[in-house]
């Protein structure tokens, strides 16, 4: 009952934001990826009880190779996140850049693996939509309030800041604004920090993405970065170590029982389609500092 009373303590105020037409296509990729994940979850590829609160179930059936690709992607990133959390004993922070409708915060809480604080950043328009879902749906708001030290939680259209979770509307190309907003939400540059940018850099110019990588490398003494870029870009922009594995290799490393389970969900006529898709992408991670924590030992 106490939780339900606290749920009603979430308040909001309305604000407006300008919409840059040039970024509309980028925002559309968030919707596409969210719909693909929602569909894969709905037929049993992985367990995520929270995505249904953010994303509608599409009537369009997704191709089996797409579903298996998303499964490998989610599994790979999750394994790296948990490896980082184990190395730091959760005394760390996670900054998810271009988070979209990601549900990692809630799933980590369910597993008792939350870092000291979890930050999400995305376009203000996407953040507004996500915060609306959080405000209106108790399965999303309750876990945040349970961890919050105060009785009320204020949010506006572009930001939510609580003790363990923050969502920030910002343009990743404006690094001064990004850093200002993160620090306003108590980002601690002294904490070991995991930065996740799954599909962000590809939508930026080479100069913009290089600046973001350099900012991330220069802002934290002990850090790890996860994305789908080539490792050479990370090494040339301030990161000390970098590793990469293409998604087909990652798929082949999955536990055989898990592969058998997901392959029984849908029939895939041509495995060549899956391999062609998976060889096109790679999962990359880089580290800086943190030798005492063993960050360089993290691998998939």
């Amino acid at each position: 009952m106490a939780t339900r009373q606290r749920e009603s303590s979430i308040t909001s105020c309305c604000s407006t934001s300008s919409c840059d037409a040039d970024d509309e296509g980028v925002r559309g990729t968030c919707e596409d990826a969210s719909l693909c994940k929602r569909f894969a979850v709905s037929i049993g590829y992985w367990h995520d009880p929270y995505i249904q609160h953010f994303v509608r179930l599409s009537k369009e059936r997704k191709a089996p190779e797409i579903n298996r690709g998303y499964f490998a992607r989610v599994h790979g990133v999750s394994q790296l996140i948990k490896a980082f959390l184990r190395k730091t004993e959760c005394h760390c922070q996670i900054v998810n850049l271009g988070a979209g409708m990601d549900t990692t915060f809630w799933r980590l809480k369910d597993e008792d693996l939350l870092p000291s604080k979890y930050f999400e950043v995305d376009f203000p328009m996407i953040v507004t939509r996500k915060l609306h879902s959080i405000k209106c749906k108790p399965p999303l708001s309750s876990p945040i309030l349970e961890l919050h030290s105060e009785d009320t939680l204020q949010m506006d259209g572009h930001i939510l800041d609580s003790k363990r979770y923050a969502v920030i509307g910002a343009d990743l190309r404006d690094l001064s604004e990004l850093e200002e907003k993160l620090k306003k939400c108590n980002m601690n540059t002294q904490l070991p920090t995991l930065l996740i940018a799954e599909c962000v850099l590809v939508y930026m110019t080479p100069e913009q993405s290089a600046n973001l990588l350099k900012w991330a490398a220069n802002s934290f003494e002990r850090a790890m970065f996860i994305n789908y870029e080539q490792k050479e870009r990370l090494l040339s922009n301030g990161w000390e170590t970098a590793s990469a594995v293409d998604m087909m290799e990652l798929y082949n490393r999955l536990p055989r029982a898990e592969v058998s389970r997901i392959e029984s969900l849908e029939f895939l006529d041509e495995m060549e389609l899956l391999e062609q898709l998976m060889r096109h992408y790679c999962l990359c991670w880089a580290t800086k500092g943190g030798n005492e924590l063993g960050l360089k030992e993290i691998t998939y």
Side-chain angles (χ1 to χ4, degrees):
M1 182 63 69
T3 299
R4 293 187 64 84
Q5 289 175 341
R6 295 191 71 193
E7 287 167 8
S8 64
S9 297
I10 293 185
T11 60
S12 64
C13 58
C14 295
S15 62
T16 58
S17 64
S18 60
C19 179
D20 186 350
D22 292 339
D23 296 326
E24 191 64 33
V26 179
R27 288 189 286 267
T29 63
C30 169
E31 179 73 8
D32 293 341
S34 299
L35 288 171
C36 287
K37 288 182 177 180
R38 174 74 171 92
F39 181 81
V41 167
S42 74
I43 58 176
Y45 275 87
W46 68 92
H47 181 65
D48 184 348
Y50 300 101
I51 194 168
Q52 63 182 313
H53 301 299
F54 287 121
V55 187
R56 62 183 171 83
L57 182 59
S58 173
K59 295 180 181 179
E60 178 186 353
R61 189 172 186 87
K62 308 301 179 183
E65 61 269 22
I66 298 297
N67 295 326
R68 293 187 193 181
Y70 271 101
F71 171 81
R73 169 175 157 181
V74 169
H75 181 88
V77 171
S78 177
Q79 291 298 105
L80 290 175
I81 290 173
K82 290 177 181 179
F84 182 86
L85 290 168
R86 286 192 294 268
K87 289 290 188 183
T88 60
E89 298 181 342
C90 293
H91 184 61
C92 61
Q93 60 193 359
I94 294 178
V95 181
N96 193 333
L97 303 170
M101 299 298 121
D102 188 76
T103 61
T104 300
F105 166 80
W106 288 270
R107 290 183 285 119
L108 288 177
K109 182 181 183 300
D110 284 349
E111 297 182 58
D112 197 26
L113 282 173
L114 275 182
S116 299
K117 190 155 185 177
Y118 192 100
F119 300 84
E120 293 183 346
V121 184
D122 214 315
F123 279 119
M125 179 178 289
I126 292 173
V127 166
T128 298
R129 174 185 161 193
K130 188 164 195 175
L131 293 185
H132 176 75
S133 295
I134 292 172
K135 176 178 180 290
C136 296
K137 299 178 180 180
L140 300 175
S141 60
S142 293
I144 300 170
L145 286 163
E146 288 169 9
L147 298 166
H148 196 53
S149 56
E150 300 176 6
D151 290 333
T152 59
L153 182 64
Q154 296 283 336
M155 68 169 80
D156 64 27
H158 294 163
I159 192 166
L160 176 154
D161 186 28
S162 70
K163 184 178 181 180
R164 304 288 294 278
Y165 177 65
V167 191
I168 297 165
D171 190 329
L172 297 178
R173 296 165 296 193
D174 187 340
L175 296 176
S176 60
E177 177 199 36
L178 173 64
E179 184 169 344
E180 178 185 354
K181 289 185 175 181
L182 283 167
K183 288 184 175 179
K184 188 176 180 180
C185 292
N186 298 309
M187 179 186 72
N188 183 354
T189 57
Q190 301 305 308
L191 272 181
T193 302
L194 172 61
L195 300 108
I196 306 168
E198 286 191 54
C199 290
V200 170
L201 304 187
V202 69
Y203 298 109
M204 306 170 78
T205 67
E207 181 182 6
Q208 290 166 345
S209 60
N211 288 339
L212 180 62
L213 290 172
K214 289 175 184 175
W215 169 83
N218 294 333
S219 296
F220 308 98
E221 295 181 4
R222 296 169 293 172
M224 178 172 167
F225 197 97
I226 299 174
N227 78 330
Y228 292 123
E229 282 286 324
Q230 300 298 316
K231 62 182 183 181
E232 288 78 12
R233 294 204 61 209
L234 289 156
L235 292 172
S236 64
N237 285 290
W239 293 87
E240 296 171 359
T241 71
S243 303
V245 56
D246 75 52
M247 297 305 291
M248 194 65 218
E249 183 179 351
L250 188 154
Y251 187 84
N252 289 332
R253 292 184 190 178
L254 291 171
R256 287 300 92 193
E258 192 69 345
V259 172
S260 296
R261 182 188 68 80
I262 66 167
E263 290 186 348
S264 70
L265 295 173
E266 296 180 288
F267 176 69
L268 179 60
D269 189 33
E270 298 183 30
M271 280 297 293
E272 292 80 6
L273 289 174
L274 178 65
E275 181 159 358
Q276 183 180 23
L277 176 69
M278 300 288 240
R279 295 290 184 196
H280 187 67
Y281 297 97
C282 69
L283 177 62
C284 186
W285 60 100
T287 65
K288 176 194 172 187
N291 291 338
E292 76 285 2
L293 299 173
L295 294 188
K296 294 180 180 179
E297 300 168 7
I298 292 177
T299 187
Y300 176 80

